[in-house]
Amino acid sequence: MKQTTLPGTDVTVSQLALGCWGLTSDFHWGQRDPAAAQAIVAAALDAGITLFDTATMYADGANETLLGELLVGKRSEVQIATKCTPAQTTADAVAAGLDASLTRLKTDYVDLYQIHWAGTDAELAEVWGALIELKQLGKARAVGVCNLGPQQLDVVCALEKPATNQLPYNLLFRAIESEILPRCKKQKMGVLAYSPLMHGMLRGQWKSADEVPATRARSRHFSSQREHVRHDEAGHEALTFDTIECLQQFADVSHNTMVELALRWLASNPQITSILVGASSPEQIAANAATIARPLDKELLKQVNQVTDPLKQAMGPNADLWQSTEGSRIH
Ligand SMILES: NC(=O)c1ccc[n+]([C@@H]2O[C@H](COP(=O)([O-])OP(=O)(O)OC[C@H]3O[C@@H](n4cnc5c(N)ncnc54)[C@H](OP(=O)(O)O)[C@@H]3O)[C@@H](O)[C@H]2O)c1
C-alpha cells in the first residue's frame, strides 16, 4: 500500500484509509454489528491500511470508543484521525473535546486532528488557533480541516496552513474540482477524499432513487421531496441514475466492478493524498485495498470524466453534499 507524508508534517498515511463512520449504528447507516466492525478493522490492517478516520460526532463518541478498543496493541502501526464537533466553538471546548477523544481512543495523541465543519469565520479562527496549540502540546501530530472552501481557507491560512482538507469527492460529486481542489494544489495541501463510493451508490446495486434506503437518500442528488433531505433543491435523480448506468457500462467493458472503477478513478488523481472508504464487511475493505494500486488508463479516465460531466455541471460548484447553495456550509 502506497504511503504519503502529509505536507509539512512527519505523519505518513496509507493511500486507502478506513472511513470508520459506518462501523457504528446511527440514523444514516442503520444497525451495525460490533463483531463486523472488529473483522473490518482486522481486514484493513491485514491489507496494509494504516489510516483510520473517525470523529467525535460519529455515534456520539461511541465510534471513537469502538476504534480505540479495536486498535489496542496496534497504536504504533497506525495513524488515527479524528475531528472536533461543530458545537465546540471555543478554544476551551476544543481542548476539552480532544482530551475526551483521547480517553475514548485509549491513546495520548492523535495523528491528525481536524475541524469537522466550520462555524462563523470568527469561530473558525478561534477553533483553528486551538488546534494549532494542541499540536504544539503534542496531543496532535498534525492538524487539518474538513469541508473548507476558499474563503474559509483564507481564514485558517492567516494563522497556519492546514496539513489536509478532507472533502467529499467521487464520480457522482465532483463539485470540489471547480475551486477547492485548485486552491489546495496551489498551497500544496493534502486532500483526503471522503464518501468515495457516494455512500454505496457507486456499487450500482440501486437502479433508481426509489431503491436507495431513505436515510441514505439525503444528498443534493435527491429531490427535496424525499423524507430526510435538508436542502430545498429539485435534485438530479434521473441524471444521477442515468450516469450510474453509463458508468456500469464502462465498468463492464473495462472488466472492473463499479466500485473498482470509482476507487481507481480517485487513485489516478495525484492530488488525492488518501481515499477514505467505508465498509460493511471485511471482504469489501480487502477488495478495495486490492484494487487501489492500479490506476485507470488515460483513455478510460477521459471517458469516465466525460460521462460524469453533465452531472457535475448540474450539481454546480457548491461542495456541500447536503445543503443548498444559500445554506452551504462550505464557502
Ligand atoms: N468530514 C466529513 O464531513 C465526512 C463526511 C462523510 C464521510 N466522511 C468520512 O469518509 C468515510 C467514507 O465515506 P462514507 O462512509 O460516507 O461512504 P463511502 O465510503 O462512499 O461508502 C461506504 C459504503 O460503500 C459500500 N462499499 C464499500 N466497499 C464496497 C465494496 N467493495 N463492494 C460493494 N460495496 C462497498 C458499503 O455499503 P453497504 O453499507 O451498503 O454495504 C459501505 O458502507 C467515512 O467513514 C468518514 O470517515 C467524512
Side-chain angles (χ1 to χ4, degrees):
M1 175 78 59
K2 186 176 143 197
Q3 297 275 333
T4 305
T5 302
L6 302 181
T9 77
D10 60 359
V11 178
T12 299
V13 300
S14 49
Q15 184 182 20
L16 194 71
L18 182 65
C20 297
W21 177 23
L23 294 185
T24 39
S25 309
D26 70 3
F27 173 77
H28 183 90
W29 298 104
Q31 202 57 37
R32 295 300 213 190
D33 173 10
Q38 184 174 17
I40 292 165
V41 169
L45 291 165
D46 281 350
I49 288 173
T50 60
L51 176 60
F52 294 79
D53 180 73
T54 178
T56 302
M57 278 214 299
Y58 298 160
D60 264 339
N63 196 279
E64 290 179 327
T65 303
L66 178 68
L67 187 64
E69 282 161 10
L70 297 179
L71 291 177
V72 166
K74 303 285 180 196
R75 184 67 189 96
S76 61
E77 300 160 34
V78 299
Q79 300 84 45
I80 298 176
T82 193
K83 314 175 189 96
C84 54
T85 78
Q88 291 159 344
T89 54
T90 64
D92 286 349
V94 172
L98 179 54
D99 283 343
S101 290
L102 293 176
T103 303
R104 287 190 290 268
L105 287 162
K106 298 188 198 309
T107 182
D108 52 8
Y109 69 94
V110 289
D111 298 278
L112 180 64
Y113 198 40
Q114 304 157 102
I115 297 178
H116 203 155
W117 289 95
T120 64
D121 285 357
E123 287 166 351
L124 176 59
E126 171 151 357
V127 170
W128 183 236
L131 261 67
I132 294 167
E133 266 183 44
L134 292 166
K135 184 180 64 163
Q136 286 158 356
L137 290 172
K139 293 187 179 189
R141 290 176 65 208
V143 287
V145 296
C146 305
N147 301 306
L148 292 201
Q151 292 168 40
Q152 293 159 316
L153 286 171
D154 285 344
V155 172
V156 293
C157 289
L159 296 175
E160 182 177 308
K161 187 182 83 169
T164 50
N165 194 3
Q166 186 181 139
L167 298 157
Y169 195 35
N170 63 59
L171 279 170
L172 302 177
F173 194 65
R174 295 171 52 197
I176 64 169
E177 288 176 6
S178 51
E179 281 187 287
I180 307 179
L181 271 187
R183 168 68 186 265
C184 293
K185 187 174 191 175
K186 196 169 157 202
Q187 288 197 272
K188 296 191 172 58
M189 210 177 285
V191 175
L192 307 181
Y194 77 69
S195 301
L197 301 177
M198 198 51 242
H199 308 149
M201 275 164 68
L202 277 163
R203 179 174 34 203
Q205 159 195 352
W206 300 312
K207 304 295 178 206
S208 74
D210 291 338
E211 292 181 27
V212 180
T215 59
R216 291 202 206 180
R218 297 189 293 131
S219 62
R220 294 198 293 109
H221 300 89
F222 296 92
S223 154
S224 59
Q225 300 302 311
R226 294 203 179 261
E227 198 180 348
H228 303 298
V229 162
R230 292 210 290 261
H231 63 75
D232 57 7
E233 297 170 1
H236 307 281
E237 296 186 350
L239 180 56
T240 298
F241 286 87
D242 286 351
T243 305
I244 291 174
E245 198 182 319
C246 291
L247 286 170
Q248 184 69 65
Q249 288 165 14
F250 279 114
D252 291 346
V253 294
S254 62
H255 307 291
N256 286 285
T257 64
M258 277 270 279
V259 167
E260 287 171 342
L261 188 73
L263 294 178
R264 291 178 66 200
W265 176 78
L266 282 167
S268 303
N269 184 338
Q271 216 192 321
I272 304 304
T273 314
S274 186
I275 302 164
L276 314 183
V277 70
S280 64
S281 72
E283 291 78 18
Q284 286 182 353
I285 195 68
N288 297 344
T291 200
I292 209 74
R294 298 178 296 133
L296 290 186
D297 76 63
K298 285 210 171 72
E299 188 50 34
L300 185 56
L301 200 59
K302 201 169 129 195
Q303 289 167 335
V304 162
N305 280 332
Q306 273 170 359
V307 87
T308 55
D309 265 338
L311 182 60
K312 173 185 163 180
Q313 301 308 331
M315 298 287 290
N318 172 17
D320 193 326
L321 252 179
W322 293 276
Q323 296 194 181
S324 313
T325 305
E326 309 78 61
S328 177
R329 294 160 294 175
I330 305 179
H331 52 83

